[in-house]
Amino acid sequence: SYVLTQPPSVSVAPGTTARISCGGNNIGSKSVHWYQQKPGQAPVLVIYSDSDRPSGIPARFSGSNSGDTATLTIGRVEAGDEADYYCQVWDSGSDVIFGGGTKLTVL
Amino acid sequence: EVELVETGGGLIQPGGSVRLSCAVSGFSVSDNYMSWVRQAPGKGLEWISVIFRGGSTYYGDSVKGRLTISRDNSKNTVFLQMNSLRAADTAVYYCASHYCNAGSCYIDYWGRGTLVTVSP
């Protein structure tokens, strides 16, 4: 089955830009979605269809997808952005595939 | 307002069974793709099953043969029957609904989850 690969952790200073990658074979041909999960809470959708933001998600969150890598970019990172982030694709018409998750630490 | 509420978790003996329920308000489960996603302690998200609007069901490779997803449209509830439970099934189980467009689906609503602990 299709595999999504994320770095286990990313660390950035407040006010800088965080980039979280999601690798997959020709992932650029798929639609990628991103979720944020804080401790003890259910995940929340932050980006859908590669680069669209749900209502209520700050414009600091953006996404891109090309080739073998999709990227979630968080600009002007805040302490409240510290969380686990997961990428997801829909595969073979029936399967939900998640990446392994990336822990974002705000230094 | 949309709400998904999972119930049925608890402490289960190895080899035992459990039936999880997901009561939905705000939309009809028969109009949406509905999934179960689990998360073992300290681990990532793992999709385990989906039921389509038409009733077709699909399962992740790690759970095939031991799980059954179903729904009761009259109760607007989705179920997950799990058998032959093992310690590796210990996790928070989330109910989730999908929005699908242009051949791709993402999760737009999640429940709060119910904890299943498999232990003697």
Side-chain angles (χ1 to χ4, degrees), chain B residues 7 40-41 44 57 61 64 95-96 101 105 113 117:
Chain B
T7 56
T57 59
D61 290 339
K64 275 179 186 174
C95 176
N101 183 47
C105 301
T117 303

Side-chain angles (χ1 to χ4, degrees), chain A residues 1 3 5 8 15-16 24 29 42 60 62 66 71-72 76 82 89 95 99-101:
Chain A
S1 61
V3 176
T5 302
T16 64
S29 67
R60 302 184 295 104
S62 62
S66 179
T71 303
L72 172 68
R76 301 185 302 283
E82 192 162 281
V89 299
D95 293 359

Side-chain angles (χ1 to χ4, degrees), chain A residues 5-28:
Chain A
T5 302
Q6 298 182 236
S9 62
V10 168
S11 299
V12 298
T16 64
T17 298
R19 294 179 178 85
I20 298 173
S21 63
C22 176
N25 184 33
N26 196 26
I27 196 173

Side-chain angles (χ1 to χ4, degrees), chain A residues 31 33 35 37 41-43 45 48 86 88 90 93-96 98, chain B residues 39 43-45 47 50 52 58 94 98 103-107 110-111:
Chain A
S31 191
H33 320 294
Y35 305 89
Q37 186 182 33
Q41 298 183 18
L45 181 72
Y48 65 95
Y86 297 90
Q88 177 249 309
W90 181 256
S94 62
D95 293 359
V96 179
F98 288 107
Chain B
Q39 186 169 37
K43 302 297 184 182
L45 303 173
W47 170 78
V50 65
F52 283 6
Y58 299 91
Y94 294 102
H98 291 274
S104 182
C105 301
Y106 59 82
I107 295 172
W110 298 76

Side-chain angles (χ1 to χ4, degrees), chain A residues 34 36 91:
Chain A
W34 291 90
Q36 175 194 69
D91 185 56

